[in-house]
Amino acid sequence: MPIAFILAGLGFLGAVLLFLLDYRRRMLYLLGVPFVLIQIVLYVLINQRADPAISPVEGIDKVVQILLVVILVILYRRRA
């Protein structure tokens, strides 16, 4: 699991860097949606089978990820 966590973090850091460099933002928005959705699905598949209880931190994290997906979709549609 630590490797998956590091890869996800590197993905987010890379996206932030590209965003700050104003590199193809519309593409970043479009690629960000499945990137975050895959993380949510993998979290459910890996972590929730053994223990379906969600801690407050995990709940906040998932809410933030869902909000990020909504924001990315809005930004993508606005730049069309």
Side-chain angles (χ1 to χ4, degrees), residues 4-57:
F5 182 75
I6 291 169
L7 290 175
L10 290 174
F12 277 112
L13 286 176
V16 168
L17 177 65
L18 291 172
F19 178 83
L20 293 174
L21 294 172
D22 201 22
Y23 180 79
R24 300 179 71 179
R25 284 191 179 181
R26 195 157 193 259
M27 181 186 66
L28 288 174
Y29 303 149
L30 188 61
L31 293 175
V33 172
F35 181 77
V36 176
L37 289 176
I38 288 170
Q39 288 183 351
I40 294 170
V41 169
L42 289 175
Y43 166 80
V44 170
L45 291 176
I46 294 169
N47 294 320
Q48 294 303 301
R49 287 189 178 180
D51 184 13
I54 297 177
S55 74
V57 172

Side-chain angles (χ1 to χ4, degrees), residues 33-80:
V33 172
F35 181 77
V36 176
L37 289 176
I38 288 170
Q39 288 183 351
I40 294 170
V41 169
L42 289 175
Y43 166 80
V44 170
L45 291 176
I46 294 169
N47 294 320
Q48 294 303 301
R49 287 189 178 180
D51 184 13
I54 297 177
S55 74
V57 172
E58 292 170 326
I60 291 169
D61 178 55
K62 296 307 143 208
V63 169
V64 169
Q65 285 181 320
I66 291 168
L67 287 173
L68 177 58
V69 169
V70 170
I71 290 168
L72 289 170
V73 168
I74 291 169
L75 288 171
Y76 178 78
R77 294 186 71 191
R78 290 179 96 199
R79 299 221 16 160

